[in-house]
C-alpha cells in the first residue's frame, strides 16, 4: 500500500468524529455491535480499535483502508517501509509508543508519524506540544503498528537494564566446565561483569539471534554510537544501539565466555563459546527444553574499540540432507557418482558465507559408513559428526592444515576432508593424497569453478598434478528464498533476455514471482535461503586445457560445451521454479 491520488501529499487533518462513530455512520459496524465493542474496551481497559480488530469484526487492513479514506490521509504499508532508516533516537522514543504512534522519520522540518486510529487526537497533540514540531500523519494497519510498538518497548526495556544503578542480574550464560588457566584468571578478574545486567542483555541478543535464524552477530563500536546487527538470510539488519559506555563491558563478557585474553586489545583473537538456548514449546507445556548452540567468536581492534563478530554454528547433523541443498537433478546425480569414487579430489568453492562447509559435511554424512575411515582437519569443526575423526587446526601450537594432513596419511584413511586449501604446502599434500588412493574433499575461495583450476596453478601446483587428481569442482552461492506470501509478477521480455534467459525459455509456461512481505518473513518477502550451484566435472578435454596451461576463460568455454550450467544459468532455473526472485539471482551471481 502506498499513498495515491490526492492523498499522496503528507498532511495532518483533525478528525471530525471518533473512528467508532464514523464506522457506524458508514454502516460498516451495526450500532448495537459498536456499543458492545465499546463496553468490552472499557471493561478490558483497552481501546476500541483493539476490540474491532481483535474480535474479527473487521480486519486491520479494512480498518486502515476505511480510516485513510474517511479522514483523507495517506495509507502506508509498513512491510514495504524500511524502519531501519528511522533515527534510533526517534525510533526508540517511548512517548510515541505510549500514545500508539510510530515515528517514521522527518520530512524537511516536519515529523512523519504512523497511526492506526486517526481520531486519536490526544496523542498527536501531546507529541506536537512537547516537541513543538508540525506533524504529518499517515495511516497504518493496527496489527503491524502494535507489533512494532511492542518490539520497540521490549528493546527499550532490555537497554534500561544496562543503565547504571539497575539491580544485579542473575547469571544466564554459563561457562564451559573445561576451561584453560587463562579463562580461570579471566573469571576471577571479571566477577563484577559476571553479575552485571549486561549478562541479561547479551543473553537476550544471542537467544533472539538464534530464533530469528541469524548466521552472525556484529558488535560494532563507533565514535558516537554502538551498533549491533544480525545477519539474517545473508542480509545485515540493525537490531539495537545500546549506550556507548557499555561497549567494553560487552566485549569483555564475550571474551571471558570465549576464553580469550581480556587484557589483550591490540591484536585480533579467535575463540569459541557454547550457550544453552530455550526452545519454544506448546502453550500448555511446562517443560523447558534447551539446545546447546556453539558460537565462533572473532575480535578485531578498530579505531573506537573492539569489533566482535559471532558466527552461530549449527552443530546438528540432522539437516545434512542433499535434497535440501537445492542441487538440480543432473547436478545431484553427478555429485553422487563422483563422491563414490575411491580416490581423487573434489573441491567446493565460493565466497565466505556461501554454504561451502554445509555442502562438504553433507557429502561426508553420505559417506560415513562403518567400513570407511574418515578424518577431517578444520578451523574449527563446525558440525560434529559421530563416526568421523575431526581435528581442529591450531596454528599457534604448530597443528596446521599441512601438519594434520601428514598425520592423517599415517592413520590409514579412506577419505580426508581439508577445511580450506590456503597455501602451496597444503595443496601439494592434498593432491598427493588424492593421487595415492584417497578421496580428498576441500574448499577454496574463488568466484566460480573454472577459476578454481587457474587458482591452483597460480599457487604453484603443477598442471599435470591438477589434471590427474581433481575429479569435480562445485561453485556455489546462497540466494534468499521467497516466502510463502510471494505473488506472481510481471517482468518485461527485454529484462528477462538481458538477465540471461534464452528466447525459447520465455515461452509463457512459467511466471516469475516477487517478494511481498508478511509477519512470517518480518516484511522482507524472503524466508530462508537456497543454494545456486555450478557443478563442473573434469573431462578429458578439460584435462588437455589444464596441461597446456589454459586460461579460466578457455576452461569456462569447455565447461559450456560439456553442458555445465554457469551460476547465473543455475540461478535462472530457481527463478523459473518460483524458488527465488530475479532480483535476488542478479544480486548474487555474475553473468
Amino acid at each position: 500500500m502506498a499513498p495515491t491520488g490526492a492523498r499522496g501529499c503528507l498532511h495532518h487533518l483533525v478528525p471530525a468524529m471518533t473512528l467508532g462513530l464514523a464506522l457506524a455512520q458508514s454502516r460498516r459496524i451495526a450500532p448495537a455491535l459498536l456499543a458492545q465493542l465499546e463496553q468490552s474496551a472499557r471493561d478490558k481497559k483497552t481501546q476500541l480499535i483493539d476490540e474491532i480488530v481483535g474480535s474479527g469484526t473487521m480486519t486491520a487492513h479494512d480498518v486502515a483502508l476505511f480510516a485513510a479514506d474517511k479522514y483523507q490521509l495517506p495509507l502506508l504499508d509498513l512491510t514495504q517501509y524500511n524502519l531501519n532508516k528511522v533515527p534510533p533516537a526517534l525510533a526508540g522514543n517511548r512517548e510515541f509508543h505510549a500514545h500508539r504512534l510510530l515515528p517514521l522519520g522527518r520530512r524537511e522540518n516536519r515529523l512523519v508519524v504512523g497511526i492506526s486510529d486517526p481520531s486519536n487526537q490526544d496523542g498527536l497533540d501531546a507529541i506536537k506540544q512537547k516537541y513543538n514540531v508540525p506533524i504529518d500523519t499517515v495511516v497504518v494497519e493496527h496489527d503491524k503498528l502494535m507489533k512494532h510498538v511492542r518490539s520497540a518497548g521490549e528493546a527499550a526495556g532490555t537497554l534500561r537494564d544496562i543503565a547504571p544503578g539497575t539491580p544485579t542480574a542473575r547469571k544466564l550464560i554459563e561457562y564451559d566446565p573445561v576451561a584453560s588457566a587463562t579463562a580461570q584468571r579471566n573469571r576471577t578478574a571479571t566477577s563484577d561483569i559476571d553479575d552485571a545486567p549486561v549478562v541479561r542483555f547479551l543473553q537476550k541478543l544471542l537467544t533472539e539471534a538464534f530464533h530469528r535464524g541469524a548466521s552472525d552477530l556484529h558488535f560494532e563500536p563507533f565514535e558516537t554510537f554502538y551498533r549491533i546487527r544480525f545477519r539474517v538470510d545473508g542480509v545485515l539488519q540493525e537490531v539495537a544501539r545500546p549506550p556507548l559506555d557499555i561497549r567494553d563491558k560487552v566485549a569483555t563478557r564475550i571474551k571471558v565466555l570465549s576464553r580469550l585474553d581480556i587484557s589483550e586489545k591490540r591484536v585480533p583473537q579467535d575463540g569459541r563459546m557454547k550457550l544453552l538456548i530455550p526452545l519454544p514449546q506448546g502453550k500448555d507445556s511446562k517443560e523447558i527444553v534447551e539446545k546447546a548452540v556453539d558460537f565462533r567468536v572473532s575480535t578485531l581492534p578498530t579505531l573506537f574499540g573492539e569489533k566482535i563478530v559471532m558466527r552461530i554454528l549449527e552443530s546438528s547433523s540432522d539437516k545434512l540432507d542433499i535434497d535440501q541443498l537445492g542441487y538440480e537433478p543432473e547436478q545431484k546425480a553427478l555429485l553422487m557418482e563422483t563422491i563414490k569414487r575411491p580416490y581423487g579430489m573434489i573441491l567446493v568453492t565460493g565466497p565466505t558465507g556461501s554454504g561451502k562447509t554445509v555442502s562438504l559435511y553433507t557429502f561426508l554424512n553420505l559417506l560415513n559408513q562403518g567400513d570407511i575411515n574418515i578424518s577431517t582437519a578444520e578451523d574449527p569443526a563446525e558440525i560434529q559428526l559421530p563416526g568421523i575423526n575431526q581435528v581442529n587446526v591450531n596454528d599457534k601450537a604448530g597443528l596446521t592444515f599441512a601438519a594434520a594432513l601428514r598425520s592423517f596419511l599415517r592413520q590409514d584413511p579412506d577419505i580426508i576432508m581439508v577445511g580450506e586449501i590456503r597455501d602451496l604446502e597444503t595443496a601439494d599434500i592434498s593432491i598427493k593424497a588424492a593421487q595415492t588412493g584417497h578421496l580428498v574433499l576441500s574448499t577454496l575461495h574463488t568466484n566460480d569453478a573454472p577459476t578454481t583450476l587457474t587458482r591452483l596453478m597460480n599457487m604453484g601446483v603443477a598442471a599435470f598434478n591438477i589434471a590427474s587428481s581433481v575429479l569435480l569442482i562445485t561453485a556455489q552461492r546462497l540466494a534468499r528464498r521467497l516466502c510463502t506470501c510471494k505473488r506472481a509478477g510481471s517482468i518485461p521480455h527485454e529484462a528477462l533476455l538481458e538477465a540471461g534467459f534464452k528466447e525459447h525459455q520465455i515461452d509463457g509456461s512459467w511466471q516469475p514471482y516477487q517478494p511481498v512481505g508478511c509477519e512470517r518473513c518480518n516484511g522482507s518477502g524472503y524466508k530462508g535461503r537456497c543454494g545456486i550451484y555450478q557443478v563442473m566435472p573434469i573431462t578429458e578435454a578439460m584435462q588437455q586445457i589444464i596441461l597446456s596451461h589454459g586460461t579460466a576463460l578457455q576452461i569456462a568455454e569447455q565447461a559450456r560445451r560439456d553442458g555445465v550450467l554457469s551460476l547465473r544459468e543455475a540461478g535462472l532455473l530457481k527463478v523459473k521454479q518460483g524458488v527465488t526472485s530475479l532480483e535476488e539471482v542478479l544480486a548474487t551471481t555474475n553473468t
Side-chain angles (χ1 to χ4, degrees):
M1 294 177 290
T4 57
R7 298 197 305 272
C9 179
L10 299 178
H11 61 284
H12 174 55
L13 184 65
V14 177
M17 63 181 73
T18 65
L19 179 62
L21 183 58
L23 287 167
Q25 289 188 356
S26 302
R27 299 183 179 180
R28 301 298 298 272
I29 296 180
L33 177 57
L34 177 62
Q36 294 177 9
L37 294 173
E38 289 176 336
Q39 183 60 48
S40 178
R42 285 191 292 270
D43 293 342
K44 296 179 182 178
K45 297 182 179 180
T46 59
Q47 294 187 10
L48 177 61
I49 192 170
D50 294 315
E51 295 302 309
I52 294 174
V53 175
S55 66
T57 303
M58 292 180 67
T59 66
H61 179 67
D62 289 340
V63 173
L65 286 173
F66 174 84
D69 181 69
K70 182 66 179 178
Y71 299 114
Q72 291 295 291
L73 292 170
L75 183 61
L76 178 68
D77 185 355
L78 287 177
T79 61
Q80 303 297 320
Y81 189 83
N82 187 2
L83 289 170
N84 289 330
K85 293 183 178 180
V86 180
L90 191 60
N93 193 311
R94 297 174 58 206
E95 293 189 46
F96 285 87
H97 306 146
H99 294 293
R100 296 187 168 198
L101 302 175
L102 186 65
L104 299 172
R106 292 183 176 274
R107 185 173 180 266
E108 296 177 349
N109 65 332
R110 305 179 69 84
L111 187 64
V112 183
V113 174
I115 189 171
S116 59
D117 181 1
S119 63
N120 178 16
Q121 189 62 39
D122 292 340
L124 291 169
D125 288 342
I127 294 296
K128 184 177 180 179
Q129 291 174 7
K130 176 162 185 176
Y131 295 99
N132 192 27
V133 60
I135 295 178
D136 287 333
T137 309
V138 297
V139 176
V140 297
E141 292 168 269
H142 184 68
D143 54 349
K144 295 175 182 175
L145 169 72
M146 295 309 297
K147 176 185 175 183
H148 287 291
V149 167
R150 282 192 293 268
S151 62
E154 290 174 0
T158 302
L159 295 181
R160 285 196 305 274
D161 289 341
I162 304 173
T166 54
T168 299
R170 64 187 181 90
K171 292 184 183 180
L172 293 180
I173 300 178
E174 297 298 334
Y175 289 104
D176 190 318
V178 180
S180 63
T182 300
Q184 297 290 352
R185 288 195 301 270
N186 287 348
R187 252 184 235 193
T188 304
T190 59
S191 57
D192 56 328
I193 295 175
D194 293 346
D195 294 326
V198 73
V199 175
R200 291 169 56 190
F201 175 60
L202 188 58
Q203 170 80 21
K204 184 176 180 66
L205 277 174
L206 299 181
T207 303
E208 178 70 13
F210 176 78
H211 289 307
R212 287 178 59 177
S215 60
D216 302 88
L217 298 87
H218 292 241
F219 299 80
E220 301 170 306
F222 296 95
E223 184 175 12
T224 58
F225 64 94
Y226 186 41
R227 179 175 68 184
I228 298 173
R229 297 190 289 176
F230 294 168
R231 187 178 292 279
V232 181
D233 293 336
V235 179
L236 281 171
Q237 304 173 359
E238 184 173 328
V239 296
R241 287 202 180 188
L244 187 61
D245 56 4
I246 73 156
R247 58 187 173 186
D248 291 335
K249 292 183 179 180
V250 171
T252 301
R253 177 65 181 171
I254 294 173
K255 290 167 74 173
V256 167
L257 293 171
S258 308
R259 299 195 291 277
L260 301 178
D261 187 352
I262 64 172
S263 64
E264 182 56 79
K265 300 180 180 181
R266 299 165 299 173
V267 296
Q269 296 187 68
D270 295 304
R272 190 162 176 160
M273 59 177 281
K274 188 184 292 287
L275 173 66
L276 291 177
I277 290 183
L279 299 179
Q281 302 297 307
K283 294 182 179 179
D284 300 328
S285 176
K286 297 182 179 180
E287 181 184 4
I288 299 177
V289 178
E290 294 179 317
K291 178 182 177 65
V293 179
D294 288 318
F295 294 81
R296 188 176 69 197
V297 180
S298 173
T299 71
L300 180 70
T302 66
L303 291 177
F304 304 104
E306 287 183 287
K307 175 184 177 180
I308 297 179
V309 175
M310 304 179 69
R311 166 70 57 88
I312 300 178
L313 304 177
E314 180 54 68
S315 59
S316 172
S317 60
D318 298 338
K319 298 180 180 179
L320 299 180
D321 184 353
I322 193 168
D323 292 324
Q324 296 181 6
L325 294 183
Y327 286 101
E328 299 300 326
E330 299 82 2
Q331 295 176 333
K332 177 187 171 183
L334 189 57
L335 272 169
M336 295 299 292
E337 177 187 350
T338 307
I339 64 174
K340 292 178 181 178
R341 300 275 288 273
Y343 57 87
M345 176 179 284
I346 298 173
L347 295 173
V348 180
T349 184
T352 301
S354 60
K356 300 187 298 296
T357 302
V358 173
S359 294
L360 280 180
Y361 278 121
T362 302
F363 302 158
L364 291 178
N365 200 40
L366 292 170
L367 296 167
N368 189 13
Q369 306 294 331
D371 58 347
I372 295 178
N373 179 20
I374 303 176
S375 296
T376 72
E378 305 166 71
D379 185 21
E382 297 187 11
I383 300 177
Q384 298 174 10
L385 293 178
I388 292 180
N389 307 290
Q390 297 174 268
V391 175
N392 282 335
V393 300
N394 186 338
D395 291 337
K396 292 181 179 178
L399 182 57
T400 62
F401 279 117
L405 275 170
R406 291 192 189 93
S407 297
F408 288 168
L409 294 176
R410 295 190 290 271
Q411 292 274 320
D412 186 31
D414 296 302
I415 298 172
I416 296 172
M417 194 269 270
V418 185
E420 182 184 350
I421 295 178
R422 298 176 178 173
D423 50 51
L424 177 58
E425 184 181 17
T426 305
D428 270 338
I429 300 173
S430 300
I431 284 179
K432 286 183 175 65
Q435 291 173 329
T436 54
H438 308 93
L439 182 65
V440 179
L441 291 78
S442 189
T443 69
L444 272 175
H445 285 85
T446 57
N447 289 327
D448 56 18
T451 55
T452 303
L453 295 170
T454 54
R455 167 82 174 123
L456 287 172
M457 287 188 275
N458 291 338
M459 289 174 67
V461 181
F464 65 86
N465 281 333
I466 298 173
S468 63
S469 61
V470 179
L471 301 175
L472 178 141
I473 302 172
T474 171
Q476 61 185 72
R477 297 290 188 277
L478 289 178
R480 290 183 295 171
R481 186 185 295 270
L482 284 168
C483 180
T484 52
C485 64
K486 65 184 179 182
R487 66 162 177 244
S490 178
I491 300 177
H493 187 86
E494 296 76 12
L496 292 174
L497 290 174
E498 185 178 352
F501 282 105
K502 302 295 189 295
E503 189 70 46
H504 69 274
Q505 294 176 311
I506 313 173
D507 54 7
S509 62
W510 60 277
Q511 193 169 17
Y513 284 85
Q514 296 176 337
V516 176
C518 65
E519 185 173 348
R520 181 173 180 268
C521 60
N522 293 317
S524 69
Y526 297 93
K527 184 69 175 179
R529 289 194 284 179
C530 63
I532 298 174
Y533 303 94
Q534 179 186 28
V535 179
M536 187 181 79
I538 307 302
T539 60
E540 291 185 6
M542 204 169 291
Q543 287 175 340
Q544 293 300 321
I545 296 175
I546 296 171
L547 290 172
S548 62
H549 295 85
T551 64
L553 181 59
Q554 292 173 313
I555 296 171
E557 290 173 350
Q558 181 60 46
R560 191 173 292 109
R561 289 192 290 268
D562 293 337
V564 175
L565 294 176
S566 68
L567 284 168
R568 172 60 61 83
E569 290 168 338
L572 295 179
L573 283 180
K574 302 297 184 189
V575 176
K576 289 186 65 176
Q577 296 162 5
V579 175
T580 189
S581 65
L582 180 61
E583 295 82 4
E584 187 69 10
V585 169
L586 296 179
T588 54
T589 63
N590 294 326
T591 53

